[in-house]
Amino acid sequence: MKRWLLKRTKIDTAAMARDLGIRRATAAVLANRELSSRQAARSFLYGGTAALGNPLEMKDFSQAVSLLAEAIRAGKRIAVYGDYDVDGVMSTSILYQTILRCGGNAVFYLPHRQKEGYGLNLRAVEQLAAEGIEVLFTCDNGIAALQEIALAKEKGMTVVVLDHHEPGFRGEGEERRDILPAADAIIDPKQRACPYPFKQMCAGGLSYYFAHHLLQIFEITDEGLERQLLTFAGIATVCDIVDLLGENRALVQMGLAEIGKTKNIGLRVLIEEAGLSDKAISEYHIGFIIGPCINATGRLESGRLAVELFCTQNEKEAREKARHLVMLNAERKQLTEEAAERADIALQEGDALQDRVLVLYDAEIHESIAGIVAGRIKDKYYRPTILITGSEDGAKGSGRSIEGYHLFEALFANRDLFTRFGGHAMAAGLSLPVENIPVLRRRLNEGCTLTEEQMIPILRLEDALSFAEIDLGLAMELQTLEPFGKGNPAPLFASKGIHADRVDLIGKNKDILRLTLSEPENGIRLSAISFDGYEPLREMLKALYPAEDCDKIIHSGLLPQLLDIVYSIEINSYRGRSNVQLILKDFRFAK
């Protein structure tokens, strides 16, 4: 069961459509993205560099760039300290290559997930100091590393933090104050003192801005490098699941335009080894094929391998590393399937399903896939989920959340239970003693204010359409709103009282519905497909007819009831011909 919510806007979408020369349905999507001005709407539609902001407005941005420029000129040893996920890998690759291009003396360091965990750690700071590092530049981490950065300062290092995670805080409401490390400069738009208006960038996007300005300071014009860094920023933005609006969307648009013709040897070879060399690469390919291959190194071995892949100039070496990434991802998939099944069985056999926040513990699940498995469980039961596994020094966990539940703030309220934690509203990581796990479960559920309604998945609808409004022109226009993702989901529409003139079962298992639909008021017919609608349709029919008649009704090819439907509008191309096709996301019998 899903909730259908029609988005509401005060904007006159018909007038907006006339003003911009677009369809009313497209205008409704723009209005629902809160793009009320002509300038904002045109920027969204046509994007490009005009949609990018001015990072010099960020707190400490100019100071941080100046510090790195001075360090490069002085020949100081610089360590770029990243993270082992895609955002951390791409941020590290962007900054490391840029510093080298500017003549810097740089190394990079990515912590080992199992041995060191996320972010800075005291042992790594000691090691870098012993190696003569004078400038510590963190990316995709550092905002919560109070003790570690204090140690780095004691060791005489200049410390620059580039992060996009939530800082810790004290107080509430207007009295709330950030708790920040004693770094020399901190770039993080989520700082309360940062005036930058766009707060949703990932570290890859911030790193691209930083690299761009550093190259300008050194008066380096290298269009090839700029395009490469832009592509890396786009990959990071897609994979870190930040809102694909504003500057993020522009970065991804421009990155996607470059990725198919990339000159970066490592990225090109990875695309080939992943079987995508003949594809027009979209945000789907980045998020579900390329990104997981990059992530797999940090999950099962070391994220360092991925940075080395993107920095090498040796094609043979790149090919070997890319093949290894693809192999690791296949292994990661198998581990994930097995772990997700284990977690779900344990959940159903225990008493956790009575909870509104699911806190699961399985010491045997590989800690590197805890976040993926937590996401699977969250999607299935639509509840905030934290999966905790065993580790070398207690227990580690990853959490994934739903709308209406700010996971980081919930963890912050129970920070006394953790040895380490961090994250944001929808995802977080944590470490804690095993004995604190039941306490965490109890406290999170006692403090949870989610209602039963909030724990029902939502389908947010852009508009209700007549079939008379749907044609190939609209489908093509909606494609200009890509790339789709968090904050800019693929538009969903609804139509009521639709007749199913024909229903066919297709696919290997004959469980995919292919339908011919018509609107009784005008007789317009459209083709539709539902990839997961067979079982829901059987259940709907069983509520009205004897069970033995349900399959007969479906196989007859004609449904006896009108439907209300929710769908996306796609283009189906076959043998040189293109037609509109509705992809059904949900349906119910009309009342």
Side-chain angles (χ1 to χ4, degrees), residues 177-191:
R177 296 290 181 270
D178 289 343
I179 302 172
L180 300 173
D184 295 274
I186 300 174
I187 300 171
D188 186 340
K190 290 193 173 76
Q191 298 175 85

Side-chain angles (χ1 to χ4, degrees), residues 97-139:
Q97 292 188 62
T98 301
I99 292 169
L100 292 183
R101 182 67 178 83
C102 293
N105 178 7
V107 298
F108 67 87
Y109 189 104
L110 270 67
H112 192 283
R113 180 189 288 263
Q114 283 77 48
K115 296 177 181 178
E116 298 174 87
Y118 168 77
L120 274 174
N121 64 83
L122 296 174
R123 186 171 60 183
V125 173
E126 293 277 7
Q127 177 184 328
L128 291 170
E131 293 172 0
I133 294 300
E134 299 165 276
V135 179
L136 179 61
F137 190 1
T138 74
C139 56

Side-chain angles (χ1 to χ4, degrees), residues 277-299:
S277 54
D278 61 340
K279 301 283 195 305
I281 296 176
S282 69
E283 66 273 19
Y284 169 83
H285 299 108
I286 292 175
F288 292 94
I289 301 175
I290 295 172
C293 288
I294 299 169
N295 251 334
T297 60
R299 293 186 186 282

Side-chain angles (χ1 to χ4, degrees), residues 77-348:
R77 294 206 71 201
I78 302 165
V80 178
Y81 192 110
D83 185 27
Y84 38 67
D85 69 356
V86 177
D87 192 21
V89 164
M90 295 328 239
S91 302
T92 303
S93 300
I94 289 169
L95 296 172
Y96 174 65
Q97 292 188 62
T98 301
I99 292 169
L100 292 183
R101 182 67 178 83
C102 293
N105 178 7
V107 298
F108 67 87
Y109 189 104
L110 270 67
H112 192 283
R113 180 189 288 263
Q114 283 77 48
K115 296 177 181 178
E116 298 174 87
Y118 168 77
L120 274 174
N121 64 83
L122 296 174
R123 186 171 60 183
V125 173
E126 293 277 7
Q127 177 184 328
L128 291 170
E131 293 172 0
I133 294 300
E134 299 165 276
V135 179
L136 179 61
F137 190 1
T138 74
C139 56
D140 199 28
N141 70 95
I143 197 67
L146 307 183
Q147 187 179 3
E148 293 82 2
I149 288 176
L151 176 62
K153 294 302 297 176
E154 287 178 18
K155 298 289 184 181
M157 295 184 195
T158 298
V159 181
V160 174
V161 170
L162 184 152
D163 204 350
H164 71 114
H165 293 97
E166 301 272 359
F169 60 90
R170 59 172 62 92
E172 296 295 335
E174 293 300 318
E175 300 299 316
R176 185 161 161 174
R177 296 290 181 270
D178 289 343
I179 302 172
L180 300 173
D184 295 274
I186 300 174
I187 300 171
D188 186 340
K190 290 193 173 76
Q191 298 175 85
R192 291 177 68 83
C194 182
Y196 199 68
F198 190 71
K199 306 289 187 181
Q200 290 79 40
M201 296 188 79
C202 70
L206 296 172
S207 297
Y208 170 74
Y209 278 163
F210 191 98
H212 176 78
H213 281 269
L214 194 61
L215 289 169
Q216 283 187 332
I217 285 179
F218 284 89
E219 299 181 344
I220 294 173
T221 302
D222 188 336
E223 292 184 4
L225 178 61
E226 283 266 2
R227 287 195 292 269
Q228 174 183 306
L229 303 182
L230 185 59
T231 304
F232 287 178
I235 292 171
T237 301
V238 170
C239 293
D240 217 50
I241 319 180
V242 289
D243 288 353
L244 287 190
L245 296 171
E247 296 168 52
N248 287 340
R249 182 167 176 273
L251 286 170
V252 174
Q253 278 184 314
M254 292 186 287
L256 284 172
E258 298 294 337
I259 192 170
K261 51 189 178 184
T262 184
K263 300 297 184 184
N264 181 271
I265 295 171
L267 181 56
R268 174 177 58 78
V269 169
L270 179 59
I271 289 169
E272 292 170 1
E273 292 298 325
L276 299 177
S277 54
D278 61 340
K279 301 283 195 305
I281 296 176
S282 69
E283 66 273 19
Y284 169 83
H285 299 108
I286 292 175
F288 292 94
I289 301 175
I290 295 172
C293 288
I294 299 169
N295 251 334
T297 60
R299 293 186 186 282
L300 301 183
E301 291 188 2
S302 169
R304 185 177 185 87
L305 177 66
V307 178
E308 291 171 348
L309 169 67
F310 297 126
C311 295
T312 185
Q313 298 300 311
N314 184 306
E315 180 148 354
K316 181 180 178 183
E317 178 186 341
R319 184 78 59 185
E320 291 173 354
K321 291 184 186 299
R323 286 176 178 166
H324 193 59
L325 261 64
V326 172
M327 180 273 292
L328 285 175
N329 190 45
E331 182 181 343
R332 189 272 312 164
K333 286 181 184 177
Q334 182 63 32
L335 285 172
T336 301
E337 293 299 327
E338 294 170 357
E341 184 177 358
R342 276 172 59 103
D344 198 17
I345 290 172
L347 187 61
Q348 294 184 49

Side-chain angles (χ1 to χ4, degrees), residues 37 71 115 120 200 285 342 375 400 426 443 469 477 494 551 587 591:
S37 70
K115 296 177 181 178
L120 274 174
Q200 290 79 40
H285 299 108
R342 276 172 59 103
R400 299 294 182 266
M426 303 303 287
R443 284 199 201 170
E469 298 179 85
E477 198 169 88
D551 281 330
F587 52 82
K591 296 181 181 178

